[in-house]
Amino acid sequence: MSETLLSVRNLSVVFAGEDGPRTLIDDLSFDLGKGEILGLVGESGSGKSLTCRSLVRLMPSPNLTIASGSVMLDGRDLTKAPDSDIRAVRGRDIGMIFQNPTSHLDPLMRIGDQIAEGIRIHRGVDGKAARAAALDILAQVGFPHPARQYNGYPHEFSGGMRQRAMIGVALSCDPRILIADEPTTALDVTIQAQILRLLMDLRESRGLSVILITHDLGIVAQTCDRIAVLRQGRLLEIGDKRDVLGRPQHPYTRNLIASHPSMPERQAAFVPAREPAIPKARPLVEIDDLHVRFPVTGRSLFSGGPREFSAVKGVSLQVMPGETVGIVGESGSGKSTLARALLGLTPISEGHVAFDGADIVTERAKALRKLRREAAMVFQDPYNALNPRLTIGAMLAEVLAVQESVPKERIPARIGELLDLVGLEREFAGRKPLSMSGGQCQRAGIARALAVNPKLIVADECVAALDVTIQAQIVDLFRDLKQRLNLTLLFIAHDLAIVRNLCERVVVMYHGEIVEEGPTDKVFAAPREAYTQALIGAIPDIDPDRPLLSPRGGDDFVEETSGLVTGEA
Amino acid sequence: AGVLTIGRREDGTTFDPIKTAQNVDNWVFSNVFDVLVRVDKSGTKLIPGLAESWTVSDDGLTYTFKLRDAKFSNGDPVTADDAAFSILRIRDNPGSLWADSYKIVDTATAADPKTLVIKLTGPSAPFLSSLALPNVSVLPKKVVEDMGEDAFGEAPIGSGAFAVKEWRRGDRVILVKNPEYWDAASVSLDGVEWISIPDDNTRMLKVQAGEIDTAIFVPFSRIAELQKDPNLKIHLDTSTREDHLLINHEHGALAKKEVRQALDMAVDKKAIVDAVTFGLGEVAYSYIPKGALYHYADNLQRPYDPEKAKAMLAEAGAADLKLNYVVNAGDEVDEQIAVLLQQQLAKAGVTVDLQKVDPSQSWDMLIAGDYDISVMYWTNDVLDPDQKTTFVLGHDSNMNYMTRYNNPAVKDLVAAARVEMDPVKREQMYVDLQKMAKDDVNWIDLYYSPYRNVSRANIENFDQNPLGRFFLEETKKN
Amino acid sequence: MHRYKFVLYRPLQFLPVLFGISLITFILVRLIPGDPARVLLGTRSTPSAIAAIRAQYGLDQPIWLQYFYFLQNLAQGEMGKSILYKIDVLRLIATRIEPTLALVLSAVLLSLVIAVPLASLAARSNGGPADHIVRFVSTFGIGFPPFWLALMLIIFFSVRLDLFPVSGYGETVADKLYHLILPALTIALSLSTVLIRSLRTAMIAELKGDLATAARARGMPESIVFWRHVMPNSLVPTINLLAVNIGWLIGGTVVVESVFALPGMGQLLVRAIFSRDYMVVQGVAMVFACATVLVNFIADIVTVAIDPRVKQ
Amino acid sequence: MTAALAPAWKAVRRRPTLLAGLILLAIFLFVALMAPVIAPYDPILQNGDLRLQPPSWSHPFGTDNFGRDIFSRVIWGTRVDLQIAVIGVVFPFLIGTVVGTLAGYLGGKVDIVFMRVIDIILAFPFLVLMLSIIAILGPGLQSFYIAMALVGWVSYARLIRAQMLVLKTADYATAALSLGFSGPRIMFRHLLPNAIAGSVVFSMSDCVLVLLSGAAISYLGLGVQPPVAEWGVMVAEGQSFITTAWWITLFPGLSIVTLAFGFSLTGDGLGDLLGVRE
Ligand SMILES: Nc1ncnc2c1ncn2[C@@H]1O[C@H](COP(=O)(O)OP(=O)(O)OP(=O)(O)O)[C@@H](O)[C@H]1O
Ligand SMILES: Nc1ncnc2c1ncn2[C@@H]1O[C@H](COP(=O)(O)OP(=O)(O)OP(=O)(O)O)[C@@H](O)[C@H]1O
Ligand SMILES: [Mg+2]
Ligand SMILES: [Mg+2]
């Protein structure tokens, strides 16, 4: 490790709750070297964000206090420095970028002005000089047209550009240390790679030290120098990334690594038991030249321009019974729309969708009746997918009652069976979603899907919101159910690694169209389309020696997302 | 000298005298326009106005008026032509609200510029006093015709003591002394402002604070308090207002005279006078109010006796009488009376259901006969009792003021009194009418009340006659 | 500037709203029992006199025909004639509109002058004594009946202290403003309680929110955090609330106008309803409706100007 | 029952605002229910000998110009005013909830029609409506309720509609749809309970608005029928005595303010409890 810049010793943070104090950060010590990138990993709630906020004493609530320990920067203890000093440290010495740029940027202020504001205050320069410096920073963080984009408002930019702006705002104060709290979680893989690359470049060019918070070991593996693993507010281990990833000391770390979808073990777990699809069977789902268009709102009477926006443009796809198909593609590429259309939840503008032989367009009633009884959906956000006011039992009972799939008196028993199937204790029948963890909620969501005795399950990003270890469990659950119940699974994800180890076939979507389709191993081994290559190339691999981006692989697509997106609906 | 400011409830509606029947308008007309014949301060005598003198032919059909040398505020002389124009206009104009009262006029002509001759279609004792009504004020014919009626209604020209300088609608009417007024020399004020201040409290506070000189419509409840203020003078001027309880004679037991008499005895008028008027009113006993011509001071006053009333009701077979009482919403006094009456009648075993309705609607209900009892009031516009008598007892189109009272003897007497030209005989006829009405209980007389005005102590001669006219030409501001 | 394009086409959307309002008012006022002619004639009304007046104002026509004439007039920019005042309704309204307009405007300004500093003070001392006092006062203040408050203000400020006139409306601009202080204060006191509560809540949310955190993380002084970031973002929701309240105010100043004897539209309306002066009720309702629509329109423009995200 | 209430009680206890508000409301409710027992005199019985008495031991709030005991009238008035606040809000709430749910969930033409109606009502001068309805139906509470219901539902409809627009895109709504649940079931069983918190909180401030509107109507003389004791009417009637007999207006006035305070506190507390920001 290089010369130590920041040194944290025995840091403890206590929450003064109603039921007595709770220690959220427990005796944490670590150092940050000059020009080093330190990765902070751990499951949700492990205290990663809190640790970093404690460094600059930006507690999220007055009930949280630093109980003991020190944070040494330039020989000063930041935990004891007076308020005015700490304010000077914030931004000037330690800059922060946050996970959600949308809420952390001022929506009412021009991007450039937000950067210039920091420059004016911290460097004490006048407006004109600040503007010049801001333009410079905009260019540095990858805005292709700084002069024009200076005047843009946050909402006019894509997520990736907003994150760049956020980094720009942090850089405006010219800090020595940058804390990046999950800066890429909300972004597509390709954009994620660009942002990570930007951070690494900045480290090079400015000699920044970076603390990178993430729950994705892959990111850490490819960007960080050292890794610290946190769990329940405690530091489990810290060390050089090769040591930690290669020779993890703590069982939890080992589990974390083993859960990563790109791990060889997990890929091996995939049994390419391609029971050669019974050739005589007709496809369960047939999609033929499907178009879905949405009316564009917010257009005025007088303005020209398209009245409609095509979310899905001419997609054709067949899914055989028992098959597992992965659909991948960046955000907005039309994956969810496709799924909703095939379940009859979104009106079809053109083309045909048939489920088990029934055409949703021509024989709507029949197809819908079939769909409602034989197809089910599992959603991304486990909390949002469950009615917060119903207990899991009530929710399942309602489905069973409405579907009339089991006699009334059998309902309680069936609920028990469903909970067993998804690996939840039976007592969960009496719990409400808010008292359950994300993984548990997701299981309940799957139980609900199973309650209809489905032939087809459409899982829309159903693991994206979960921690890696939980992710792995859910994926295993799917694999297990699929085999036991002979389910057909349509698995939508933007995380290609998961698709790679769960699906037999993969469909790549881009701008509403299918750009590539084929058996998973083939597509991953030899992607034909540049877009697919970029997607695959951008998957952070847990192997520390793989480069972050296949050299400039996705360049064609960088332009797509770098401009103002005001033209979009 | 000085400008007198007067606070009143509402702003006026128009200055075209024939098109309004509201007191707020009439009271200002008296100062801006002039009439041929005026009513004196006592409210019981006619005195010369624009007509210096007049003669009536023996058949009582031809009236000849001699006009004095007067000028309108624009300097034009007041001519007999103007007077004739004004009288025919109120009779014939489609917008006139008073046409019915002047149908008796056959012709009105100018014999010469200063002599007006009016011929009637039949004899009429009250005709002369109807000429004192502000609505039949003499208007400048030429100006009305040149400006057009509507424009005149906003910026009138008159021959009164004051002229309209500005009318800020909803706020105030600003009058200035009219130098052309025939008696201008005796007018002391430089001008008058009638200011509308709808809230009673605010209006009183405004005089108390000295921001205005006078305020009219002082609530009964405030008199005692204001009397204590040495800076203020309270003016309680005799009025012709009488409040009474209408009875719908066509509704069931109310058709029986005995029942109505019993109700009269069940009402404690004294208590009403005490509670509602704070003792300022006076118990009423005749439909012709105190202070009006031919008022009969010795009319019967039935004693308050709820027990006897109860017995009489039982005897008449109306032991458990139920009455529907229509109350005017928004009128503080009306609502108070309603509450009191309800309780008083209950003592005589009568159940009263109060039904509060918007005042404009209560009219319709009364006309439709959709009520049993209801409190109303009447203030005379003209000195002669005929107008009110006709409405109340004359069996005319208004069903005797909505009571549906029916007594042919009374009806005939009213008609006879109208054409009786001998004052002594005529007075006796009205005394008889008052007795008959009381006996029949056409309605229940409740109380008479005075006009209640307040002024700053430095204001002198701020007087109102029983017909409501303010004698501002005599008022002084020291 | 295509965000502002709605300024061009929105007025078209007002038309159906105003049409609906005119129709409803028309039917509503004619459903009221009572007859303008009878009100006009007062106690001396006779059937013949009533019929004459009704014919003169076209009240004897079938109602749909009356409405047709009304629309026809409206298309020519006229609103008929007042039965009570005998002049054109529009002219009548023109003589009465200023005090109401001035009252509403000054009340709104005054309430902002009261609410913004107090809400800021409370939000910045969130949980502190200042916050408690402001919260208590604003919560308690909501329940005062305006006419009572008005009388108390008159008794205290005008009668006891002799600082302001009891009532009325002045002649010169300065005089008018002087007369408007108490009435505006009456309204502003109740309006500001609503604004304070909304603004304070928004500010506290913003002060705790990501935006403020991000600004603090950049080492921004608390004053910049508050004035440059928290304040504008908290104002956005309050603008809408204010617009709704102004809408209410426009038609609801009658009590204050009455207590302070302001010759405004509220009083005109009440008297018109009581005397069944149909055309005036109709006209005033239309003017009020237009004003409400206009206020919301302005609020939309202001919102768009402040908040670049909003598209109308 | 008690077990089910325990967590609710715990949640309330931790919020002094809510607790204070609920206690205030409970006191008013108690007074209203027990009015015949608590009130020392008949609220409408007049006594000519006792007119305009200042507060004393036998008449703690004094007497009015009819010699009626103001304390008793205030107590009986609680019944009427609680009723005004509650009924004046319940109907708008119900109508607004149904309309908002339908408009928000169904969207399309239904939404457009309701939104236009709402636009019209929002721009419709409340005073014209209120006075016309009172004029049509006669003064009194039922006219007041009808007028309030005709106008008041708009706020609720807008609140619920906005929530519905968000909630109907929630995954659990999509899930319900994909499971073949009927529209009404999704709207009223799944979405509405999650959308209603904001309206519940708003209904508390609405109670205050209704009380004040009632008082304003009384000022214009169109309030409840006499001799019923109602605070707004008492204040309005007592106005003429404001400088001589302050107690006639003060006590009913304070009652309005205090009841309004109770509703506001409860609303604030509920907002906090349900996580609603107005
Ligand atoms: N304002 C707060 N009040 C009380 N507890 C809090 C607060 N903020 C965070 N916590 C608790 O502190 C602990 C650590 O939270 P922190 O946000 O640091 O987790 P994290 O590792 O960043 O998780 P994630 O990956 O979900 O962002 C959690 O148990 C959380 O519940
Ligand atoms: N109801 C709708 N109305 C209008 N546009 C819509 C609607 N639903 C989706 N879209 C648009 O259609 C496009 C495709 O959306 P879709 O949700 O299918 O993308 P996705 O691939 O699932 O993205 P993500 O990974 O973010 O979930 C997007 O641009 C989206 O804005
Ligand atoms: Mg975090
Ligand atoms: Mg999606």
Side-chain angles (χ1 to χ4, degrees), chain C residues 6 10 18 20 42 46 89 93 139 147 152 175-176 178 205 217 235 272 283 286 288 292 298 302 310:
Chain C
F6 73 96
R10 174 70 61 81
L18 295 180
T46 58
V89 169
I93 289 174
T139 313
F147 61 90
M152 292 301 152
D175 201 25
K176 283 174 180 171
Y178 181 51
L235 278 179
M286 295 302 285
F288 280 163
T292 312
I298 293 173
V302 173
V310 180

Side-chain angles (χ1 to χ4, degrees), chain B residues 156-199:
Chain B
I157 301 288
S159 59
F162 299 91
V164 176
K165 180 177 165 218
E166 192 189 346
W167 181 14
R168 290 195 220 138
R169 280 187 186 269
D171 183 20
R172 67 189 63 194
V173 176
I174 301 172
L175 308 181
V176 287
K177 178 173 171 177
N178 175 10
E180 309 282 355
Y181 177 52
W182 61 269
D183 194 16
S186 62
V187 175
S188 151
L189 293 174
D190 293 330
V192 178
E193 289 188 19
W194 289 89
I195 304 172
S196 90
I197 305 171
D199 189 279

Side-chain angles (χ1 to χ4, degrees), chain B residues 233-363:
Chain B
K233 271 197 275 195
I234 292 285
H235 307 261
L236 298 173
D237 293 334
T238 309
S239 85
T240 54
R241 173 169 172 147
E242 187 218 358
D243 286 57
H244 39 252
L245 184 70
L246 300 187
I247 301 176
N248 186 345
H249 293 225
E250 283 178 0
H251 270 201
L254 295 177
K256 291 186 189 155
K257 189 157 114 179
E258 298 71 34
V259 172
R260 298 197 298 270
Q261 287 173 343
L263 290 180
D264 191 15
M265 287 206 277
V267 173
D268 183 358
K269 291 127 199 152
K270 181 80 178 57
I272 294 176
V273 166
D274 286 347
V276 175
T277 74
F278 289 74
L280 295 165
E282 230 180 294
V283 172
Y285 44 89
S286 163
Y287 79 93
I288 296 183
K290 218 175 169 177
L293 197 62
Y294 304 147
H295 168 74
Y296 178 46
D298 297 326
N299 210 11
L300 171 70
Q301 295 199 40
R302 292 195 181 84
Y304 170 59
D305 191 344
E307 290 312 318
K308 177 131 185 260
K310 200 170 186 169
M312 280 173 73
L313 285 172
E315 203 173 311
D320 46 2
L321 193 60
K322 268 201 169 57
L323 296 178
N324 176 21
Y325 183 160
V326 172
V327 188
N328 277 324
D331 187 320
E332 194 193 353
V333 171
D334 261 22
E335 291 189 16
Q336 288 179 6
I337 296 177
V339 172
L340 273 168
L341 278 179
Q342 187 183 38
Q343 202 172 314
Q344 291 176 2
L345 290 173
K347 288 202 186 127
V350 179
T351 316
V352 172
D353 284 330
L354 301 185
Q355 188 185 3
K356 188 157 121 176
V357 300
D358 177 303
S360 310
Q361 187 192 347
S362 65
W363 264 106

